[in-house]
Amino acid sequence: MTDTSKSQILVHDRCLNFLLFVLGLISDVDLRSRENNSAHHTREIDQKRLIVRRGQPFSITLQCNGSLRPRHHLDLVLHLGKRDEVEIKVQKERGAGDKWWFNQQGAQDEMLLTLHSPADAIIGRYSLAVLLMSPDGRILEKKDKMSFHLLYNPWCKDDVVYLPDETQLQEYIMNEDGIIYMGTWEYIKSTHWNYGQFEDYVMDICFEVLNNSNDALRNSQMDIEQRFDPVYVSRIIAAMVNSNDDRGVLTGRWTEPYSDGVAPYQWTGSVPILRQWSKAGVRAVKYGQCWVFAAVACTVLRCLGIPTRLITNFSSAHDVDGNLSIDFLLDENLQPLESRGGRDSSWNFHCWVESWMRRDDLPKGNDGWQVLDPTPQELSNGVFRCGPCPVTAIKEGNLGVKYDAPFVFAEVNADIIHWIVQRNGQRRKVLDHATVGRNISTKSVYGDFRDDVTLHYKYPEGSKKEREVYEKAGRRVTDVPSESSEPGRLQLSIKHAKPVFGTDFDVIIEVKNEGDQDAHVQLTMLAMAVTYSSLHRGNCQRQTTTVMVPAHKAQQEVLRLRYDDYAQCVSDDHLIRVKAFVEAPGENEPLLTVTDIPLSRPEVFIQVGTPVGAFVCEQVKASISFTNPLPVPLKGGVFTLEGAGLLSSTKIHVSGDISPGQTVSIVVSFSPMRTGVRKLLVDFDSDRLKDVKGVTTVVVRKKYRNIFPEITECY
């Protein structure tokens, strides 16, 4: 090589070094968000920001002003927390399975970095710094204004939330529309709910929920380091969805008035609740009840990547003292008495969620669905929350398992006992065949219908296995009837049709005499308004009569309930509780039977779009109508609309009164934001008629327009 050639090379190197000094090696970084998000099932959350799942690699591209010099190398450093409390140095080659590592491929002015996160990585918002290092370990260049979010990965077999069934993943992670089952165990009704876990900025609010927990505020570094564990995170969420002892999302209220907030039955989705909480500076939203608490928790857990479903337990017991017995005291007029210091209760239904995870903190056999209950009922380790508790532990009566197994077991297994307290203070036990834990329900993964999961929680009633579980759990079994015991000669039952709110209806009480002699009995019938959580709201009708029931015959009595009787005291849950009480000479114990009658309400009718359907980012119209079924005018009517991917929560007030039989109609225009099969939910409320729902399915497509022959462009 000539001296001239050497001089030219030296000049070239000096120019290159000067260029790198002025411009830097790394001119730009492409996080490849669209490509990565699509591969990580997060495209619905965002296509601009990078959102990935742990245990699955993702790639970023560095645009370079030249090649990496010999013996120079790249380092990657990750930080978590507002003050970078946690630092992670990414290894350059694959090491142990619990470490971050990356590999790189370079081609002239571009470098591809592939990052690999462990399957138990901490979830959260990561800051990423790319460092150009000299041979002697000095930082020559730093690119650090980059960030991404990491979520749990139920598609990764090494993640503890791994769920191998793709159909279930589509429902329990990806589905933004849900159904909540309500009513009574005999008359189950469904209401649609917009979980909206992929709506704009919902993910950010979910992490804001974690950041405002008592644990995070007490020691943010320790809290962040625990977020690899879905047991820990789900327990935080169960506490933070209610606001009883922290900066939680929702305040609970089970009686009117709700005038300083939103009545629980008015909500149709989680997104307005979460957004209001965040926008108000993490101040609790008013108000929620069990299904609202559970639905918000379901949104947060699905968003973070934990498979979750909402569960309804009908005839749900709240056992305060842990004796597996729900004792109700009644006076001689069948009116409820306050028991001294006791708060036991039985609810028509109660909602919680189940989340799917492996329980490495428990003995084998406790993996799978875990009960989590954010409704503030009892303290768990000093905080209002419940779970996670393995469903299998409840079924097998293993009440020593973490967390809160005795309380959950009682919700589906406790005895209900009624006592008549006489004037002299003596108590008489009343025969009552009420059962708790009935028709435990969740939405099917195959469509908008109900799956019964009762047998996941308990063995068939009356079976030998059920009695073994009761004994293991410490529940008394002395009341289990033997095969030799004779049934009482009198049987008592209540029959009714499906009444509509606003109409008069009959309730039929039947006394059946299985004995060989005529029976002269005193029959008391009482109708009262109650809430779904069994709070007494007032008496509607009472009737006492003496009845002669011939041997081997049945006698029926009719209790007529008029709209004027129940309209003034009926709760927003539209429930009438009817009690029938029979006393007869020769019978050791009086008979009592209780039934709750739900009053059905009309529907809101919805029609959307044209025969060709709806298209993304193009305006579509929804026609909504409602007819007043009551014999009185309705005042203060308001429609509330929302739908994931369709429109944010929108209120439309009705001007003037709505007369009896009058139909009111509105037309709403909106532009769908995302493609797919969507649900539009509508709620109507007024002064005398509330919680009237409507739902319709909207199929949103992309629109293709031919600009030139043989060229198609997607909008």
Side-chain angles (χ1 to χ4, degrees):
M1 182 180 294
T2 65
D3 290 340
T4 302
S5 300
K6 290 180 180 179
S7 298
Q8 289 174 339
I9 293 172
L10 185 60
V11 170
H12 176 269
D13 285 352
R14 285 177 176 171
C15 290
L16 182 59
N17 287 335
F18 178 75
L19 184 65
L20 293 179
F21 175 76
V22 174
L23 300 178
L25 174 68
I26 306 168
S27 60
D28 196 15
V29 180
D30 180 5
L31 297 180
R32 304 167 67 128
S33 299
R34 184 180 291 265
E35 176 185 328
N36 286 317
N37 292 4
S38 181
H40 285 248
H41 305 93
T42 61
R43 185 177 60 181
E44 288 287 311
I45 302 177
D46 205 323
Q47 295 192 44
K48 295 180 179 178
R49 295 186 294 169
L50 178 60
I51 304 166
V52 291
R53 299 187 185 274
R54 65 186 192 176
Q56 182 176 341
F58 63 96
S59 298
I60 65 174
T61 302
L62 307 183
Q63 302 294 334
C64 304
N65 294 315
S67 301
L68 192 64
R69 300 297 303 278
R71 297 197 301 137
H72 289 62
H73 66 275
L74 296 178
D75 275 352
L76 303 187
V77 180
L78 303 173
H79 288 99
L80 283 146
K82 289 183 178 179
R83 294 179 294 277
D84 293 342
E85 289 94 330
V86 177
E87 180 178 279
I88 300 170
K89 293 183 178 178
V90 184
Q91 299 179 168
K92 298 181 187 61
E93 56 187 30
R94 187 168 192 170
D98 61 346
K99 301 294 185 184
W100 282 80
W101 64 283
F102 78 99
N103 61 322
Q104 64 189 64
Q105 297 171 282
Q108 295 180 349
D109 59 352
E110 193 171 271
M111 197 176 300
L112 183 72
L113 305 183
T114 302
L115 286 78
H116 303 258
S117 63
D120 63 350
I122 298 168
I123 65 161
R125 181 183 181 275
Y126 283 77
S127 297
L128 169 63
V130 180
L131 310 178
L132 175 61
M133 307 298 294
S134 69
D136 58 358
R138 288 180 297 111
I139 299 175
L140 300 177
E141 187 179 340
K142 182 178 182 180
K143 283 281 185 181
D144 61 354
K145 297 190 182 300
M146 298 169 287
S147 65
F148 64 91
H149 286 82
L150 190 74
L151 306 177
Y152 294 112
N153 192 353
W155 283 270
C156 173
K157 62 181 178 57
D158 295 323
D159 197 317
V160 293
V161 300
Y162 173 60
L163 184 59
D165 188 322
E166 182 61 31
T167 302
Q168 292 189 30
L169 285 167
Q170 289 303 312
E171 179 68 34
Y172 301 139
I173 291 289
M174 302 301 293
N175 196 352
E176 294 180 85
D177 300 306
I179 292 179
I180 301 173
Y181 295 98
M182 308 167 83
T184 70
W185 72 270
E186 296 174 289
Y187 299 97
I188 298 173
K189 71 167 189 173
S190 60
T191 187
H192 287 259
W193 189 269
N194 171 28
Y195 292 124
Q197 64 267 29
F198 302 141
E199 290 285 84
D200 288 348
Y201 303 109
V202 166
M203 180 194 68
D204 304 82
I205 299 172
C206 292
F207 282 111
E208 191 177 7
V209 169
L210 296 182
N211 293 339
N212 279 278
S213 73
N214 287 340
D215 293 60
L217 297 174
R218 199 161 33 238
N219 188 326
S220 59
Q221 180 177 341
M222 187 178 296
D223 171 70
I224 291 170
E225 289 173 344
Q226 291 296 312
R227 292 186 189 177
F228 74 93
D229 181 9
V231 173
Y232 174 83
V233 168
S234 63
R235 197 154 165 77
I236 293 291
I237 291 166
M240 279 296 293
V241 169
N242 73 73
S243 63
N244 280 44
D245 33 31
D246 48 32
R247 299 181 179 181
V249 175
L250 269 168
T251 297
R253 191 175 179 91
W254 279 263
T255 56
E256 299 94 340
Y258 303 115
S259 54
D260 59 337
V262 176
Y265 52 79
Q266 281 189 279
W267 301 112
T268 54
S270 306
V271 178
I273 296 170
L274 290 166
R275 285 179 175 165
Q276 182 178 327
W277 173 80
S278 177
K279 188 175 181 180
V282 303
R283 193 164 62 244
V285 176
K286 301 175 180 179
Y287 290 102
Q289 291 178 9
C290 70
W291 71 93
V292 187
F293 288 112
V296 171
C298 189
T299 295
V300 176
L301 290 158
R302 285 188 183 183
C303 184
L304 296 179
I306 302 175
T308 302
R309 62 188 186 183
L310 195 144
I311 299 290
T312 301
N313 176 40
F314 289 96
S315 298
S316 187
H318 181 175
D319 180 24
V320 175
D321 53 18
N323 66 351
L324 293 174
S325 175
I326 308 299
D327 295 292
F328 293 114
L329 305 183
L330 306 174
D331 64 20
E332 292 180 316
N333 294 317
L334 303 186
Q335 299 292 343
L337 294 173
E338 289 293 331
S339 57
R340 195 173 297 168
R343 294 184 292 114
D344 282 1
S345 61
S346 175
W347 295 13
N348 283 101
F349 69 91
H350 179 55
C351 296
W352 57 70
V353 296
E354 290 177 357
S355 290
W356 181 273
M357 62 188 75
R358 195 171 72 230
R359 290 298 298 270
D360 292 339
D361 59 323
L362 297 178
K364 284 188 177 181
N366 289 296
D367 299 340
W369 291 115
Q370 313 286 320
V371 171
L372 286 157
D373 192 348
T375 300
Q377 297 182 91
E378 296 298 322
L379 296 172
S380 175
N381 289 356
V383 178
F384 279 100
R385 60 184 168 191
C386 179
C389 173
V391 173
T392 55
I394 301 307
K395 184 171 184 176
E396 299 300 331
N398 297 325
L399 304 193
V401 167
K402 296 184 296 185
Y403 290 91
D404 310 307
F407 183 77
V408 179
F409 184 87
E411 287 184 300
V412 299
N413 285 302
D415 281 325
I416 292 182
I417 301 176
H418 285 88
W419 302 86
I420 299 292
V421 181
Q422 298 173 318
R423 288 187 179 90
N424 61 9
Q426 290 187 330
R427 296 184 182 185
R428 296 175 65 194
K429 185 178 178 182
V430 183
L431 288 179
D432 180 11
H433 300 291
T435 305
V436 304
R438 309 178 84 157
N439 293 341
I440 303 174
S441 304
T442 192
K443 178 187 176 298
S444 171
V445 298
Y446 300 109
D448 290 349
F449 50 87
R450 187 179 72 90
D451 270 355
D452 193 299
V453 295
T454 306
L455 292 180
H456 293 190
Y457 282 83
K458 54 205 293 189
Y459 286 96
E461 194 166 335
S463 66
K464 179 183 177 183
K465 190 68 178 175
E466 181 199 40
R467 289 194 290 273
E468 291 174 357
V469 168
Y470 287 172
E471 289 175 346
K472 184 196 294 187
R475 171 176 162 172
R476 66 185 183 283
V477 292
T478 55
D479 292 334
V480 177
S482 64
E483 293 181 2
S484 61
S485 64
E486 294 183 7
R489 67 181 180 123
L490 295 179
Q491 305 292 323
L492 183 61
S493 62
I494 299 174
K495 301 176 181 178
H496 60 90
K498 293 183 178 180
V500 176
F501 181 68
T503 63
D504 302 341
F505 63 96
D506 292 333
V507 179
I508 298 172
I509 289 85
E510 181 179 275
V511 184
K512 193 173 184 180
N513 184 0
E514 301 280 6
D516 296 327
Q517 296 181 348
D518 296 350
H520 295 269
V521 305
Q522 180 173 291
L523 171 64
T524 300
M525 300 169 284
L526 175 64
M528 60 178 66
V530 295
T531 68
Y532 85 99
S533 57
S534 292
L535 295 177
H536 181 251
R537 300 302 306 277
N539 292 342
C540 306
Q541 185 73 271
R542 180 187 177 83
Q543 195 172 307
T544 300
T545 183
T546 300
V547 179
M548 195 280 284
V549 188
H552 304 291
K553 298 283 186 180
Q555 181 69 28
Q556 293 184 341
E557 295 292 322
V558 176
L559 184 67
R560 181 77 168 169
L561 286 172
R562 294 178 172 82
Y563 173 70
D564 291 340
D565 295 332
Y566 63 77
Q568 299 304 316
C569 61
V570 71
S571 74
D572 296 327
D573 299 316
H574 297 88
L575 278 173
I576 301 296
R577 175 166 294 170
V578 176
K579 297 178 181 178
F581 179 69
V582 161
E583 287 185 289
E587 293 292 316
N588 292 330
E589 295 175 322
L591 296 178
L592 174 72
T593 190
V594 180
T595 192
D596 289 327
I597 304 173
L599 306 176
S600 63
R601 280 147 287 173
E603 291 184 11
V604 174
F605 294 97
I606 312 167
Q607 186 173 358
V608 176
T610 63
V612 297
F615 297 95
V616 70
C617 296
E618 287 202 1
Q619 194 175 88
V620 64
K621 291 183 178 180
S623 300
I624 298 164
S625 62
F626 162 76
T627 301
N628 178 11
L630 301 188
V632 293
L634 302 179
K635 302 177 184 294
V638 58
F639 291 95
T640 305
L641 300 78
E642 73 170 293
L646 296 176
L647 79 166
S648 299
S649 182
T650 303
K651 288 186 182 297
I652 298 175
H653 293 268
V654 178
S655 60
D657 296 352
I658 307 173
S659 303
Q662 180 185 346
T663 298
V664 59
S665 300
I666 61 170
V667 177
V668 180
S669 297
F670 60 93
S671 299
M673 297 165 282
R674 290 185 280 143
T675 59
V677 179
R678 304 288 171 185
K679 289 280 199 306
L680 177 62
L681 311 183
V682 179
D683 170 80
F684 173 82
D685 295 287
S686 64
D687 62 335
R688 291 177 175 265
L689 185 58
K690 302 176 175 67
D691 192 21
V692 181
K693 307 293 187 189
V695 60
T696 193
T697 300
V698 182
V699 180
V700 183
R701 305 177 179 88
K702 286 184 178 179
K703 193 162 190 178
Y704 296 88
R705 183 186 302 167
N706 288 330
I707 300 178
F708 300 107
E710 300 181 3
I711 296 178
T712 303
E713 187 172 348
C714 174
Y715 286 78

